[in-house]
Amino acid sequence: MSYERRGGILLHPTSLPGKFGIGDFGPEAYRFVDWLESANCRLWQVLPLNPPGFGNSPYACLSAFAGNPLLISPEMLFADGLITEADLNYPFASTARVNFGEVYPWKRELLHKAFHAAKANRKYWISVLQYRKQEETWLEPWAVFVACKQA
């Protein structure tokens, strides 16, 4: 059996450039994938994409099923009409390093706004309810865990 040789890159999405304190699956991720294709790279290897645990390590994930909410793109939420343009004003200076202490609360507030906007939009809310039903075996226990952890 022969295998085709392939080139690729190991890069966690949080390491992508971004306007909001951390890289995410927004426009920069799409640009990166376009660049990979133009460079004839066929593989994008990522570290775990789950919610990180102690020290924000992707290797100490808190869930095997949930995704890292920091990877949700504010620009995509805006494009979907779930947040306003004013919500895209990141109040902190962008730096070469992620300041999780700034990013987490800012993004959590942004995701709460997007959630309430989705709840008010029948199309989005139906999708949320379908997802909730489809993933009920892990989603409700995860939500309870997160709520207790935050409290």
Side-chain angles (χ1 to χ4, degrees), residues 52-131:
F54 179 75
N56 298 301
S57 170
Y59 296 113
C61 298
L62 298 174
S63 170
F65 301 103
N68 184 344
L70 291 179
L71 295 174
I72 298 172
S73 165
E75 290 161 304
M76 305 287 255
L77 294 174
F78 172 71
D80 285 344
L82 296 173
I83 59 173
T84 67
E85 191 169 2
D87 293 326
L88 295 177
N89 293 325
Y90 184 67
F92 309 105
S94 293
T95 63
R97 293 180 161 251
V98 175
N99 183 334
F100 288 96
E102 291 174 351
V103 174
Y104 272 121
W106 180 81
K107 207 154 212 190
R108 186 173 30 248
E109 179 64 27
L110 195 71
L111 294 174
H112 279 255
K113 287 180 182 181
F115 171 78
H116 289 293
K119 197 172 180 181
N121 180 311
R122 182 172 168 72
K123 176 184 108 179
Y124 285 115
W125 194 242
I126 288 171
S127 294
V128 168
L129 294 176
Q130 287 171 339
Y131 180 78

